[in-house]
Amino acid sequence: MRPENLRFILGLKLRTLRQEQNASLKEISERSGLSVSYLSEIEKGKKYPSPDKLLGLAEAFNVSYDDLVSLSVDDKLDPLKEMFSSPFIQEFPFELFGLAPHDVFALVSDAPSKAGALIRTFLEVGRTYDMQVEHFLFAALRSYQQLHDNYFPELEDEAASFRRQREWTPHDPLSDTTLRALLEDEFGYTIDLEVLPDHPELHPFRSVFVDGNGTPPTFYVNGDLMPIQRAFIYAREIGYNVLDLEERARTSSWIRAESFEQVLNNFKASYFGGALILNESSLLAALRQWFDQSTWDDGAFLREQMDRFQATPEMLYYRLTQLVPHHFDLNAFFFLRFHHEQGSPDYHLTKMLNLSGIAVPHGIGLREHYCQRWPAIQLLKELSEAQAQDDYAHDPSSTSAAVRAQRSHFINADAEFFTLSTARPLALKDTTNSCVSIGFLMDEAFRRQVHFAHDPAITRREVNLTCERCPLTEAQCQERVAPRTLYDKEQREQRQIEALRELTNATRSA
């Protein structure tokens, strides 16, 4: 039990006892001999009294000393105790949002019994949906990115400075061999490409970092990755060293996030790696030229930049989410990544960043089906069908990928997004396909900045979140794969509410 948790529990107990006895702080001050301000600090979880003062408080409330200082609480307060003792409270980065744990405590301490019932509800929801601490940590990271519009100039400067120190021009592509040599020569790494591909348990990992305990580290990188993927892994590892980030994940992909510092440091190192490979000034110049084009180029620009910078579609798309909002003032956007097992009817959302304020595809439960009109779903379905017919040849060393643009109009939100999607097989599991999408809200700012947005050649489609929530009938949507059960339920409830209103008004009038 951490000291701050002892303070929280004692504060909850004192606040509850005082409210049950309908006593003011002034009355308890007179009974205990402690000042009103000091009692207030105790109730807020900021102070923990000495034993003699605790004895005075026990007498003032007419309870035993042991009951007052014990860690046990009644059933009404138990959810609050559980919350403040949980890894969530201990690991959540309150300081990023200008808060501290005791600030959260202060929000619930005015009415601890009512707050306990509310927290119990949250805890039950979390358990029902198997929400882990790391879910909250990654949600905190997304909130942190949103606070900064996903643009971090200090990391951009670090990457640009690193390039200048090595006399790399902004236009120089950085190969995996160049970055590997730098890790080995300047940072003393031992790099192994052979172990992971053949390991029975570790072959899905892209990399594994083993600290040398005083000696240079060993860095295991999966040799089955594309060279451009290895380049990003090396660039991110350089970021860990340049930014002096000690708390870190040992594997890529994650097994489990152990602390927010791990999550944040991984984000910073990854941001540095992307900025190092996809240089800010060079990519911005290319983007300005692209946005000035009056017609959509069917993905030629994106494929050109992938080849030019030696970047994967995901690296390029995610880099756009960092630069476009800041430099072009297009702040309403989303980034999504779907995975799809060949031949499966299911599509899994594995990464999301939504700064649009509009509900876009997100983690859903109860076996709902994502809208099949999304370009990402369409591309994955087409790719799977081509693979089933042996009509798809994949070059694992190439950046080539199918690109699709679409104007996606959300029916329920009445909002339209310019959506770009790119699909290709995963490097480490060729039976699984991946599709990344980036979408920008087509508001006045977007139409002014991006000239090809007006090109009639770009398909416009009505979309929704899931089939179950969509108002389109089967006759209106050929792609529907599930009935509109949730939409019909909502409409039925609205009709019942209206019928009850009419009946009530008629009865009162009579």
Side-chain angles (χ1 to χ4, degrees), residues 74-367:
D74 62 31
D75 290 343
K76 292 181 180 179
L77 299 182
D78 191 63
L80 292 177
K81 173 189 171 183
E82 183 178 351
M83 183 185 77
F84 284 104
S85 302
S86 70
F88 165 69
I89 288 292
Q90 295 177 16
E91 296 294 346
F92 192 84
F94 292 100
E95 66 280 357
L96 287 180
F97 306 97
L99 297 171
H102 63 74
D103 295 315
V104 180
F105 177 83
L107 295 175
V108 301
S109 63
D110 283 341
S113 295
K114 294 179 181 179
L118 179 63
I119 297 301
R120 186 188 298 277
T121 302
F122 289 150
L123 292 173
E124 288 181 2
V125 170
R127 294 190 185 104
T128 300
Y129 290 94
D130 193 28
M131 297 175 68
Q132 306 298 320
V133 174
E134 61 189 56
H135 296 152
F136 290 100
L137 298 183
F138 285 109
L141 175 63
R142 288 192 292 270
S143 296
Y144 176 68
Q145 292 173 261
Q146 187 168 7
L147 281 174
H148 297 270
D149 289 331
N150 203 35
Y151 181 77
F152 296 84
E154 67 279 8
L155 298 177
E156 299 283 354
D157 291 343
E158 288 282 1
S161 174
F162 192 84
R163 268 185 172 266
R164 287 193 300 270
Q165 290 170 10
R166 276 136 196 88
E167 298 182 348
W168 296 334
T169 72
H171 306 289
D172 287 338
L174 301 181
S175 68
D176 63 315
T177 54
T178 297
L179 297 173
R180 173 180 176 170
L182 192 149
L183 271 176
E184 291 172 329
D185 297 341
E186 294 196 25
F187 299 104
Y189 275 54
T190 297
I191 297 177
D192 183 290
L193 301 178
E194 308 297 330
V195 168
L196 294 185
D198 298 325
H199 197 286
E201 298 296 335
L202 302 181
H203 68 274
F205 290 111
R206 297 188 169 206
S207 65
V208 175
F209 175 87
V210 179
D211 195 337
N213 284 330
T215 61
T218 299
F219 195 41
Y220 295 95
V221 177
N222 199 312
D224 287 343
L225 291 171
M226 296 185 296
I228 53 177
Q229 292 173 313
R230 293 199 297 269
F232 174 75
I233 287 174
Y234 296 144
R236 180 178 59 198
E237 196 61 28
I238 291 170
Y240 271 111
N241 288 272
V242 171
L243 302 174
D244 196 25
L245 305 173
E246 295 184 2
E247 184 72 16
R248 59 168 298 155
R250 304 295 169 182
T251 62
S252 176
S253 306
W254 292 88
I255 294 180
R256 183 182 295 112
E258 298 174 357
S259 69
F260 183 74
E261 191 172 2
Q262 270 191 2
V263 173
L264 182 60
N265 286 349
N266 181 74
F267 167 75
K268 289 180 177 179
S270 298
Y271 193 111
F272 176 94
L276 188 63
I277 292 175
L278 290 150
N279 176 263
E280 181 177 24
S281 62
S282 184
L283 183 55
L284 278 177
L287 282 173
R288 289 190 176 96
Q289 291 182 355
W290 186 41
F291 287 173
D292 283 342
Q293 295 179 15
S294 59
T295 58
W296 165 245
D297 61 9
D298 202 27
F301 169 83
L302 294 172
R303 284 185 284 268
E304 178 185 338
Q305 303 315 308
M306 290 178 213
D307 289 337
R308 173 185 175 186
F309 290 100
Q310 285 299 288
T312 64
E314 181 168 350
M315 289 167 58
L316 179 59
Y317 280 33
Y318 203 78
R319 191 75 174 114
L320 295 184
T321 71
Q322 296 165 344
L323 299 183
V324 172
H326 178 76
H327 292 283
F328 295 91
D329 199 28
L330 304 178
N331 299 308
F333 71 90
F334 63 78
F335 172 90
L336 305 172
R337 182 182 66 200
F338 282 98
H339 282 177
H340 175 237
E341 194 72 23
Q342 293 172 19
S344 168
D346 299 323
Y347 300 86
H348 302 284
L349 182 64
T350 58
K351 191 172 184 178
M352 178 189 73
L353 177 65
N354 181 15
L355 273 66
S356 71
I358 307 294
V360 299
H362 51 273
I364 55 174
L366 304 179
R367 303 297 295 173

